[in-house]
């Protein structure tokens, strides 16, 4: 079914509560594991319906944040979402304590039960008011960012539509665009500081209500980190500082020489060629058609997937003034349908949507064939492997999008992928410090960010910019406000995706088989076990990062 034709009605959570309570009674009355699993299938049907309707409403609001009807629906689910989470938790507690646990664990897997344990450690009815307030604060941030109105080049632009000017080949244009963006954030600095300060205090209060010292423990449980913790993440970041930061700095210096500059400025970040970054040559419609040709040629599985997405109009990718910033893939369980949301703006990022977000969506499409819903509860460190690796698997088709600049794009993409890892680790370390020290003032948080930038991105020079030069860059990073502790997952996944890059250059067919296997494994096993099973090294293993850097050196000499 096409997305625009999917019916929507507001969920009555009083009725949902009655249905969930009835399922709990049936679960308790069941006389065997088989009977309990039949009840669990009804639980799948109920949660599929609720999640589908909530997701439809949220997508339609993101598509147009000025739509009053869906704004009210969005607010409603921000209020009721935590209530629903608590209903789910009540059901899962009964399932978790089942006398037929052995049978159920064989049916739905040990990962599912570990995640139920984490859910019990991360949710309580007492948290509902705080979670509702948290949702309200993130919505306030999203609306502030989405509502940016920047006069530039004779047009009124939002931040997504300003993006092409930030990477323009003309340094004067770039400088003016960055100054305009800086002015927007400077104008809203007090509001941004206030929202984030309230979020940190809110999340800290949630953690303490659960008996934790700070938000980090609660945040790790909420991210379903079921086979590693803070110590492993910190050890990974140390590897990145020791081996990857020097490598990334070599790439930045290579870029500096290519741009013909004596010194890189912040206005040169993500600019790779003197005559400008390669940009897709076609219209949005032509980009989508090229994507369809690419996926039809890549494999039978991807051909079927992309045709399904196109036939059912499961993309909304055009940038518009009142559209939420950013991009994502989400999933509509009732229709076994992934959905991709993005903001095309005429840069190479438009093609990244067709590779990165389609990597997520392809895995979601494959996972739809698995009747065990818990297998779709993938940790983000795994989910991002699907997306970031797809960026590399599709490189041989880049001529469809970039014409004679396809090789420029491939070089830029590898450099960008490698340079991202230090930045992503910096975001993670920043958040660890912030939540370990919730008493920090807005000014102290910015000082912390500036210090970390000197460690992770020593080449960076803000030239005294009044906002970015004072440690404010993180305030444009949506994840820090909306999805705490998520960002390290990109870094762990990129470390695996770069391994696939090396593998596919040696044997594309074998690398693709490994990737397909990983997609189909979904969340049926723990992250560390799955990456080992498909022949990847764990980013947590000593020497993993050093080994990857040594193999990547050949690409940049």
């Amino acid at each position: 079914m096409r997305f625009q034709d999917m019916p929507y009605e507001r969920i009555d959570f009083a009725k949902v509560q009655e249905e969930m309570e009835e399922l709990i009674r049936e679960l308790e009355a069941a006389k065997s594991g088989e009977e309990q699993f039949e009840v669990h299938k009804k639980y799948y049907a109920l949660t599929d319906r609720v999640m589908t309707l909530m997701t439809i409403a949220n997508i339609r609001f993101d598509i147009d944040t000025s739509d009053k009807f869906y704004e009210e629906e969005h607010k409603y689910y921000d209020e009721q979402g935590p209530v629903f989470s608590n209903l789910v938790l009540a059901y899962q507690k009964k399932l978790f304590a089942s006398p037929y646990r052995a049978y159920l664990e064989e049916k739905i897997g040990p990962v599912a039960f570990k995640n139920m344990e984490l859910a019990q450690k991360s949710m309580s009815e007492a948290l509902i008011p705080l979670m509702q307030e948290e949702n309200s604060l993130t919505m306030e941030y999203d609306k502030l960012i989405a509502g940016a109105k920047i006069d530039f080049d004779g047009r009124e632009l939002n931040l997504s539509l300003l993006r092409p000017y930030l990477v323009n080949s003309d340094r004067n244009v770039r400088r003016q665009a960055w100054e305009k963006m800086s002015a927007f954030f400077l104008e809203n600095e007090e509001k941004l500081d206030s929202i984030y300060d309230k979020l940190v205090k809110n999340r800290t209060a949630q953690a303490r209500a659960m008996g934790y010292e700070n938000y980090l423990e609660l945040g790790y449980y909420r991210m379903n980190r079921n086979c590693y913790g803070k110590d492993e993440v910190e050890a990974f970041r140390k590897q990145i500082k020791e081996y990857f930061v020097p490598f990334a700095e070599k790439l930045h210096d290579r870029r500096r020489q290519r741009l013909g500059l004596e010194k890189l400025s912040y206005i040169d970040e993500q600019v790779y060629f003197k005559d400008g970054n390669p940009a897709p040559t076609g219209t949005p419609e032509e980009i989508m058609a090229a994507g369809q040709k690419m996926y039809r040629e890549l494999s039978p599985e991807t051909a079927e997937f992309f045709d399904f997405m196109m036939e059912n109009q499961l993309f909304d990718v055009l940038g518009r003034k009142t559209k939420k910033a950013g991009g994502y893939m989400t999933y509509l369980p009732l229709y076994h349908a992934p959905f991709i949301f993005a903001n095309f703006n005429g840069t190479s990022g438009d093609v990244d949507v067709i590779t990165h977000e389609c990597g997520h969506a392809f895995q979601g499409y494959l996972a739809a064939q698995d009747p065990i819903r818990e297998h779709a509860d993938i940790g983000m460190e795994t989910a991002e492997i699907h997306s970031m690796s797809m960026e590399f698997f599709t490189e041989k088709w880049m001529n469809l999008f970039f014409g004679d600049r396809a090789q420029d794009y491939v070089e830029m993409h590898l450099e960008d992928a490698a340079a991202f890892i230090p930045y992503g680790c910096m975001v993670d370390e920043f958040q660890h410090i912030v939540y370990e020290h919730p008493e920090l003032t807005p000014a102290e948080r910015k000082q912390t960010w500036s210090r970390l930038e000197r460690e992770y991105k020593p080449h960076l020079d803000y030239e005294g910019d009044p906002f970015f030069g004072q440690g404010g860059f993180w305030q444009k990073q949506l994840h820090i406000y909306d999805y705490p502790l998520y960002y390290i997952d990109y870094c762990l996944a990129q470390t695996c995706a770069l391994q696939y890059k090396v593998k596919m250059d040696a044997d594309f067919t074998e690398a693709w088989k490994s990737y397909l296997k990983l997609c189909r494994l979904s969340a049926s096993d723990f992250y560390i076990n799955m990456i080992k099973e498909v022949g990847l090294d764990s980013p947590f293993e000593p020497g993993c990062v050093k080994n990857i850097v040594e193999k990547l050196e050949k690409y940049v000499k």
Side-chain angles (χ1 to χ4, degrees), residues 276-288:
N277 293 347
T281 56
T283 63
E285 293 75 19
E286 288 167 335
I287 290 171
M288 299 303 293

Side-chain angles (χ1 to χ4, degrees), residues 85-86 89 114-132 134 199-226 228-230 431-432 435-436 483-486 489:
S85 295
N86 198 55
L89 181 66
K114 182 63 179 178
N115 289 346
M116 288 179 213
E117 180 189 333
L118 299 186
Q120 290 175 49
K121 291 179 176 180
S122 65
M123 179 63 197
S124 160
E125 190 170 1
L127 299 188
I128 289 175
L130 285 167
M131 293 174 75
Q132 290 170 331
E134 180 186 15
L199 279 168
V200 171
K201 288 176 169 55
N202 172 290
R203 288 165 181 157
T204 300
Q206 289 186 50
R208 290 179 178 161
M210 294 294 288
Y212 307 130
E213 183 182 354
N214 59 48
Y215 180 73
L216 291 179
E217 191 170 359
L218 177 60
Y220 269 63
Y221 292 148
R222 287 194 173 158
M223 289 301 297
N224 267 357
R225 294 195 174 137
N226 50 31
Y228 64 92
K230 284 193 301 177
Q431 292 184 91
H432 276 71
Y435 289 113
E436 282 172 349
Y483 309 111
L485 308 183
Y486 183 165
D489 297 284

Side-chain angles (χ1 to χ4, degrees), residues 472-520:
F473 187 90
W474 61 272
Q475 293 189 302
K476 67 183 283 295
Q477 189 63 63
L478 171 143
H479 298 74
I480 292 177
Y481 282 79
D482 289 7
Y483 309 111
L485 308 183
Y486 183 165
Y487 226 58
I488 194 66
D489 297 284
Y490 288 114
C491 304
L492 295 169
Q494 192 70 276
T495 305
C496 292
L498 288 168
Q499 291 182 62
Y500 270 128
K501 165 67 177 169
V502 173
K503 284 178 180 292
M504 70 183 69
D505 286 350
D507 189 332
F508 189 91
T509 302
E510 286 304 309
W512 179 252
K513 282 182 186 174
S514 167
Y515 173 77
L516 263 185
K517 183 177 182 180
L518 181 69
C519 288
R520 288 191 167 119

Side-chain angles (χ1 to χ4, degrees), residues 4-22:
Q4 67 190 54
D5 298 329
M6 291 177 185
Y8 171 75
E9 62 177 351
R10 178 180 279 195
I11 300 161
D12 182 341
F13 282 99
K15 286 185 178 176
V16 171
Q17 181 170 347
E18 290 173 10
E19 290 179 66
M20 197 72 84
E21 287 170 351
E22 174 59 26

Side-chain angles (χ1 to χ4, degrees), residues 225-504:
R225 294 195 174 137
N226 50 31
C227 60
Y228 64 92
K230 284 193 301 177
D231 291 345
E232 287 84 357
V233 169
E234 186 177 350
F236 172 69
R237 290 199 310 258
K238 283 181 178 175
Q239 285 193 71
I240 296 303
K241 280 185 184 178
E242 185 173 355
Y243 300 108
F244 224 99
V245 169
F247 175 64
E249 288 302 300
K250 284 184 193 174
L251 297 180
H252 287 301
D253 195 58
R254 182 186 190 215
R255 187 166 61 85
R256 176 191 64 76
Q257 293 175 48
R258 195 190 294 135
L259 293 173
L261 300 172
E262 286 187 20
K263 184 174 175 55
L264 286 172
S265 161
Y266 75 110
I267 68 167
D268 305 312
E269 286 294 284
Q270 296 186 307
V271 178
Y272 289 86
F273 296 93
K274 202 168 186 176
D275 57 346
N277 293 347
T281 56
T283 63
E285 293 75 19
E286 288 167 335
I287 290 171
M288 299 303 293
Q292 191 160 29
K293 175 177 170 58
M294 174 177 76
Y295 281 116
R296 283 175 173 172
E297 292 177 6
L298 174 56
S299 76
E301 295 88 352
T302 52
E304 180 187 308
F305 147 72
F306 203 85
D307 286 352
F308 173 83
M309 296 289 288
M310 292 291 279
E311 286 164 14
N312 291 286
Q313 297 177 12
L314 294 164
F315 292 94
D316 190 291
V317 297
L318 296 180
R320 293 183 294 275
K321 286 181 181 178
T322 57
K323 191 174 181 181
K324 181 179 174 179
Y328 58 77
M329 187 285 290
T330 189
Y331 188 71
L332 300 154
L334 278 185
Y335 304 102
H336 303 296
F339 185 91
I340 288 176
F341 173 94
N343 282 272
F344 275 15
N345 54 24
T347 70
S348 61
D350 298 353
V351 177
D352 296 338
V353 171
I354 304 301
T355 58
H356 181 98
E357 299 303 342
C358 281
H360 285 306
F362 174 60
Q363 194 283 327
Y365 182 77
L366 291 179
Q369 299 162 25
D370 188 334
I372 304 301
R373 293 288 187 272
E374 287 82 1
H375 291 175
D377 295 335
I378 308 167
M380 291 300 102
E381 73 290 295
T382 307
E384 295 300 344
I385 303 175
H386 307 141
S387 56
M388 290 174 151
S389 300
M390 186 65 88
E391 295 175 27
F392 288 114
F393 278 112
T394 51
E395 281 184 343
K396 64 171 78 171
W397 286 273
M398 288 302 106
N399 62 300
L400 296 176
F401 304 97
F402 298 101
D404 59 7
R405 295 205 68 190
Q407 188 55 37
D408 284 350
Y409 172 80
V410 169
E411 283 188 38
M412 177 181 79
H413 175 239
L414 179 62
E415 289 187 21
D416 186 56
F420 168 79
I421 293 177
Y423 171 73
C425 286
M426 176 173 70
V427 168
D428 186 66
E429 186 168 346
F430 173 74
Q431 292 184 91
H432 276 71
I433 292 168
V434 164
Y435 289 113
E436 282 172 349
H437 302 281
E439 74 284 355
L440 290 176
T441 65
E444 287 169 332
R445 289 185 193 121
K446 288 174 181 152
Q447 289 163 12
T448 299
W449 180 265
S450 292
R451 174 177 64 77
L452 291 172
E453 280 184 323
R454 290 192 292 273
E455 293 177 21
Y456 283 100
K457 300 188 74 172
H459 70 279
L460 197 55
D461 180 3
Y462 285 115
E463 300 179 339
D465 180 89
F467 181 78
F468 297 121
Q470 300 303 311
F473 187 90
W474 61 272
Q475 293 189 302
K476 67 183 283 295
Q477 189 63 63
L478 171 143
H479 298 74
I480 292 177
Y481 282 79
D482 289 7
Y483 309 111
L485 308 183
Y486 183 165
Y487 226 58
I488 194 66
D489 297 284
Y490 288 114
C491 304
L492 295 169
Q494 192 70 276
T495 305
C496 292
L498 288 168
Q499 291 182 62
Y500 270 128
K501 165 67 177 169
V502 173
K503 284 178 180 292
M504 70 183 69

Side-chain angles (χ1 to χ4, degrees), residues 16-245:
V16 171
Q17 181 170 347
E18 290 173 10
E19 290 179 66
M20 197 72 84
E21 287 170 351
E22 174 59 26
L23 289 178
I24 290 171
R25 285 192 289 272
E26 289 183 30
L27 203 64
E28 291 177 323
K31 299 290 190 291
S32 67
E34 288 86 351
E35 285 185 25
Q36 282 197 331
F37 187 66
E38 289 305 310
V39 176
H40 197 52
K41 288 180 184 175
K42 296 180 185 178
Y43 165 80
Y44 287 157
L46 172 59
T47 53
D48 280 0
R49 175 165 53 86
V50 172
M51 293 309 299
T52 298
L53 290 171
M54 286 175 69
T55 302
I56 288 172
N58 288 334
I59 292 170
R60 289 177 179 165
F61 172 68
D62 290 348
I63 285 170
D64 182 4
T65 58
S66 67
D67 185 312
K68 294 303 179 187
F69 174 80
Y70 282 110
E71 180 177 7
E72 289 305 310
E73 299 307 283
H74 190 78
K75 287 178 181 175
Y76 174 70
Y77 293 126
D78 275 353
E79 292 171 0
Q80 295 299 319
V83 176
F84 177 63
S85 295
N86 198 55
L87 292 175
V88 168
L89 181 66
Y91 173 87
Q92 288 182 343
K93 280 180 177 177
K94 296 294 182 183
L95 196 70
F96 188 77
S98 167
Y100 312 111
R101 167 79 173 264
Y103 175 85
L104 292 170
E105 195 163 315
E106 190 176 324
K107 291 291 286 186
I108 65 179
V111 177
F113 280 91
K114 182 63 179 178
N115 289 346
M116 288 179 213
E117 180 189 333
L118 299 186
Q120 290 175 49
K121 291 179 176 180
S122 65
M123 179 63 197
S124 160
E125 190 170 1
L127 299 188
I128 289 175
L130 285 167
M131 293 174 75
Q132 290 170 331
E133 181 191 39
E134 180 186 15
N135 287 340
S136 176
L137 288 166
T138 58
M139 184 176 175
E140 187 181 348
Y141 172 80
D142 291 344
K143 287 203 75 176
L144 177 63
I145 297 300
K149 294 177 180 177
I150 298 171
D151 292 323
F152 196 83
D153 195 25
R155 301 164 64 198
E156 185 180 87
L157 307 174
N158 63 16
L159 291 171
S160 295
L161 298 175
L162 184 68
R163 165 73 182 165
Y165 299 99
L166 299 172
V167 294
N168 193 281
S169 59
D170 186 327
R171 284 192 98 216
N172 289 326
V173 171
R174 290 207 296 274
R175 185 174 299 282
Q176 290 166 23
W178 275 97
E179 287 172 354
K180 283 282 190 179
M181 182 165 68
S182 175
F184 166 78
F185 279 95
L186 191 61
E187 181 185 344
N188 290 282
E189 183 176 24
E190 196 173 315
K191 200 176 292 184
L192 290 163
D193 284 340
S194 174
I195 294 170
Y196 192 63
D197 197 61
K198 288 175 183 174
L199 279 168
V200 171
K201 288 176 169 55
N202 172 290
R203 288 165 181 157
T204 300
Q206 289 186 50
R208 290 179 178 161
M210 294 294 288
Y212 307 130
E213 183 182 354
N214 59 48
Y215 180 73
L216 291 179
E217 191 170 359
L218 177 60
Y220 269 63
Y221 292 148
R222 287 194 173 158
M223 289 301 297
N224 267 357
R225 294 195 174 137
N226 50 31
C227 60
Y228 64 92
K230 284 193 301 177
D231 291 345
E232 287 84 357
V233 169
E234 186 177 350
F236 172 69
R237 290 199 310 258
K238 283 181 178 175
Q239 285 193 71
I240 296 303
K241 280 185 184 178
E242 185 173 355
Y243 300 108
F244 224 99
V245 169

